[in-house]
Amino acid sequence: NAEYMGYVLRLTFFSMSNFASSSHCTHWLFSEEKLQEVRNHAYHKLAEKFNRSPSPAPMEVSQTPVKSSLVSAMFTPSPAPSPMSTTPAGAQHMLSPQTKTKFDLVTPAEQVDFLRFYATKIVTICNHFKFPPKVMAASIAYLKRFFLHNSIMEFDYKYMMFTCVYIACKVEEVVIRLEDFLKTLGLEASALTNVVNNEVLLLDGLRYQLIVFHPYRPLTGFVEDLTQAHRLDAGAVEALSQRASSILDQSLLTDAVFLHPPAQIALAALAMCANEFNVDIDGYIQSRFGADDNFEELKRRIAMIQRSIQELAENPIKMDEIQRIDAKVLKLKGKASDMDAKVGDEKKREKEERRLRKQKKKLERLKREQDALLGFGVNGEKLDDGEFKLSVGSLSASKRRRREQDAPTEDVQMQDGDAV
């Protein structure tokens, strides 16, 4: 009814107004140029780390098979990979970062494609558990946000994926025990430790900013508003909502989550399917937002979102390419672990050297004090009576100063009325 529709719209636009002051809007929305800059910075930082180390020795990498029909199916290559490129149009400039390295590192564009593949696995997991769309949206956002500043060459992306889903369930108040979650996926007991250990890493990588504004809520408000404007029957409303929701599912796999507010993504999804239901979506957008000063910018952004979703459909994932990147990552991970171990050894060595230097200074000081008490000079020569008395006096004064510095400060008992 009209009262309910008004409530939904108020709820939708209230959530949109909250979005402007959220950490999502403040810290996780970028321009296309800034987003690419952030990705390149993470790549350059890792390239410099690898460049400081010697060339890697060849290493054999073996993977323990996962004993689960669901998880195994998730990582099994499709029998007929598409011949089309996995790199969306507009992302070609990411393929050749300027930092040169002696290692075959995963490029920013390769990481984008690789994470897109794992985002589809999150969709599979959430559909299997029948989690609400908000859990799926938050899980994928967490995965994308974490690896925006970090590399898949440094962290276990498979267990991080499971951790993202589990943390999203907590944040969105979907109750599931971690043991039950992993058991259903068919993972072994050791997976529990890996996921728990990843929790702190994930939270730190997200800067503890866990609120994700997803496009499904504004979609509900827009559909209700369209229903009243076009007098759609219940069946058409349900079909329109489901079709637009499926488009939103696809949008989660693009960079739209980093580039556009959720309400704009919801409008773009509606615009892509409204013609199927004889809905004048252009007229609706004009009537609702035409008076806004930023209306032309809104139309431009809606067109951008539509293009990104269309490019996603035109460039399906190539499993042979994903397998190639996966093999590269596993090889480089071993090298990264070796480098971290070397850095740890170097820090231990520096700490031991500082301890030895401090100990040496202390022994030299004690030797000087002993020589002074016995009447010998710096070079071991015997001191006359006047020099001996002067040396002992200086030593006593030095000892008193050290005792005064080391003495504990007495607590002062304050009385009522004393100034603080």
Side-chain angles (χ1 to χ4, degrees), residues 283-303:
Y284 171 76
I285 295 175
Q286 177 72 41
S287 64
R288 281 296 183 190
F289 306 102
D292 194 290
D293 294 337
N294 297 317
F295 178 61
E296 292 302 321
E297 174 65 13
L298 173 63
K299 291 198 299 183
R300 187 185 72 84
R301 285 181 169 270
I302 289 176

Side-chain angles (χ1 to χ4, degrees), residues 327-346:
K328 181 193 292 190
V329 170
L330 290 172
K331 183 176 181 179
L332 290 167
K333 264 187 181 178
K335 184 59 187 173
S337 299
D338 292 343
M339 288 190 295
D340 290 339
K342 289 178 181 178
V343 170
D345 292 342
E346 183 65 25

